[in-house]
Amino acid sequence: MSTPLRARTPWNARRWLRLITRGSLIGLVLIAAFAVGTTWVIESAVHAASEAALAERPGDPVTALMAYVESPAHTLQARNRAVWALGQLADARALPVLEKHVTGRPCEHDRALCQYELSKAIRLCRGTPNVLASIWR
């Protein structure tokens, strides 16, 4: 005759608590690692975009990026990267340049700056919180 399941596997509260604690700790470590990795990638990309702009116009990264956005000598992809970097830097000085390129129409990536990236950058420059950027700044 078989033993009932309850008699074979007694409830062990300590074991469950230990599993939950370990699982929570592993989850927190993974979230922290993701946040650190993401901030490192963002910081590196902003630095690269700033360096490209500063190579042409030495001085302040924000003004150099603004000039980069305005320059028709660069590809739209490079200018969009500068728009994104300005948003990550969240400097209100960039607002006039960013707002100048807003068309209010859908994105035309082969003809104009990305309207979605412009709107995100404008929101960030106006003070919308950016938690990850506040870590690497």
Side-chain angles (χ1 to χ4, degrees), residues 9-10 14 23 28 39 45 50 55 73-74 82 88 90 100:
T9 55
R14 286 185 182 167
L28 287 174
T39 55
S50 298
H74 300 289
Q88 293 301 310
K100 174 182 171 184

Side-chain angles (χ1 to χ4, degrees), residues 17-73:
L17 184 59
R18 207 170 34 242
L19 284 173
I20 291 170
T21 303
R22 285 182 186 163
S24 299
L25 183 62
I26 290 169
L28 287 174
V29 167
L30 289 174
I31 289 170
F34 178 76
V36 168
T38 302
T39 55
W40 180 78
V41 168
I42 292 171
E43 179 184 11
S44 298
V46 170
H47 182 72
S50 298
E51 289 297 315
L54 286 167
E56 293 185 15
R57 184 179 178 152
D60 177 39
V62 174
T63 56
L65 285 165
M66 290 187 313
Y68 206 89
V69 169
E70 292 286 325
S71 173

Side-chain angles (χ1 to χ4, degrees), residues 21-136:
T21 303
R22 285 182 186 163
S24 299
L25 183 62
I26 290 169
L28 287 174
V29 167
L30 289 174
I31 289 170
F34 178 76
V36 168
T38 302
T39 55
W40 180 78
V41 168
I42 292 171
E43 179 184 11
S44 298
V46 170
H47 182 72
S50 298
E51 289 297 315
L54 286 167
E56 293 185 15
R57 184 179 178 152
D60 177 39
V62 174
T63 56
L65 285 165
M66 290 187 313
Y68 206 89
V69 169
E70 292 286 325
S71 173
H74 300 289
T75 65
L76 283 172
Q77 181 181 8
R79 292 170 61 206
N80 277 321
R81 194 173 311 119
V83 166
W84 174 82
L86 284 169
Q88 293 301 310
L89 292 172
D91 193 315
R93 294 178 294 162
L95 282 170
V97 170
L98 297 171
E99 290 169 341
K100 174 182 171 184
H101 292 281
V102 174
T103 63
R105 296 190 305 253
C107 290
E108 297 179 83
H109 294 122
D110 56 335
R111 297 181 189 170
L113 291 173
C114 177
Q115 297 299 299
Y116 176 70
E117 284 301 325
L118 281 165
S119 67
K120 282 194 324 186
I122 289 168
R123 280 194 315 269
L124 291 169
C125 288
R126 286 185 178 155
T128 299
N130 187 350
V131 176
L132 292 178
S134 63
I135 294 170
W136 64 262

